[in-house]
Amino acid sequence: PGYFEAIDGSRVLAVDDVSTHPSTSELLEHYLTPLGITSMLDVPIIIEGRMRCVLRHEHSGPKRTWSAADTGFVATIADLIGQALLTDELRQTRERLRGSEERAQLMFFKNPVALLLVDQHGRIKSANQRAANLFRASQEDLENRHVEELIPDRLRGEHRQHREAVLGLLELARG
């Protein structure tokens, strides 16, 4: 419809007379005329480059000519609403991330399988209790040790090659 094309491409859609404006002609019969709306001032609320909703001001009675002060004020309010919506979305995302991190930590630390979290240099960043029991060390004692220290001498070279191959695959995947 013409309205959505007009609002999507505008900073402000100020319609002084809805009965003659091309962007509102499709809204006249079923919406504007039955409600007695003669003028409207709409501002799209843009979040991350996409129109998410519209702030609309409707006027009934004699047709209204929207001033620059009217349009500027409404545009500012729309920007504030957009910032509030974005802030709320970020808050919700942080909450979901925090919950996801908590679940991942729970799965790591309570896992019945021995697990080590190792950085790209082979340094142990974290160990669960099962791994600590396996290597007869505390979780803290395992942290910052090189993972190859835990591998029997005869297997260290092969383990290092496997670890480096996995890192290479991860780099390709990011590529």
Side-chain angles (χ1 to χ4, degrees), residues 137-163:
S138 71
Q139 290 169 288
E140 294 79 23
D141 288 339
L142 290 173
E143 288 178 12
N144 293 316
R145 288 180 66 184
H146 203 280
V147 71
E148 269 83 28
E149 294 175 29
L150 304 175
I151 307 294
D153 290 339
R154 63 185 171 77
L155 299 174
R156 284 184 184 170
E158 186 177 343
H159 183 269
R160 186 176 294 112
Q161 289 174 348
H162 287 296
R163 188 173 51 79

Side-chain angles (χ1 to χ4, degrees), residues 32-168:
L32 299 171
T33 302
L35 294 175
I37 298 166
T38 55
S39 304
M40 52 187 226
L41 175 60
D42 291 358
V43 180
I45 296 177
I46 309 294
I47 300 173
E48 295 180 338
R50 283 186 28 235
M51 181 176 65
R52 300 288 283 280
C53 52
V54 174
L55 176 59
R56 168 171 284 173
H57 295 78
E58 298 172 342
H59 176 77
S60 300
K63 294 171 187 85
R64 177 176 177 155
T65 301
W66 302 103
S67 70
D70 295 333
T71 59
F73 176 75
V74 172
T76 300
I77 296 300
D79 290 342
L80 292 172
I81 291 170
Q83 285 299 314
L85 292 171
L86 182 59
T87 299
D88 187 58
E89 285 180 14
L90 290 172
R91 181 193 55 76
Q92 290 176 29
T93 299
R94 284 188 192 109
E95 286 177 9
R96 286 191 303 273
L97 179 60
R98 198 170 11 262
S100 178
E101 288 172 343
E102 289 170 3
R103 286 187 300 279
Q105 285 186 355
L106 184 65
M107 288 173 29
F108 180 84
F109 288 108
K110 299 295 183 185
N111 201 305
V113 174
L115 298 174
L116 298 172
L117 180 62
V118 178
D119 70 12
Q120 68 270 24
H121 305 293
R123 292 269 172 220
I124 299 170
K125 293 302 182 188
S126 194
N128 68 0
Q129 188 59 53
R130 189 64 161 219
N133 294 345
L134 177 68
F135 294 111
R136 295 187 176 111
S138 71
Q139 290 169 288
E140 294 79 23
D141 288 339
L142 290 173
E143 288 178 12
N144 293 316
R145 288 180 66 184
H146 203 280
V147 71
E148 269 83 28
E149 294 175 29
L150 304 175
I151 307 294
D153 290 339
R154 63 185 171 77
L155 299 174
R156 284 184 184 170
E158 186 177 343
H159 183 269
R160 186 176 294 112
Q161 289 174 348
H162 287 296
R163 188 173 51 79
E164 289 170 358
V166 167
L167 287 173

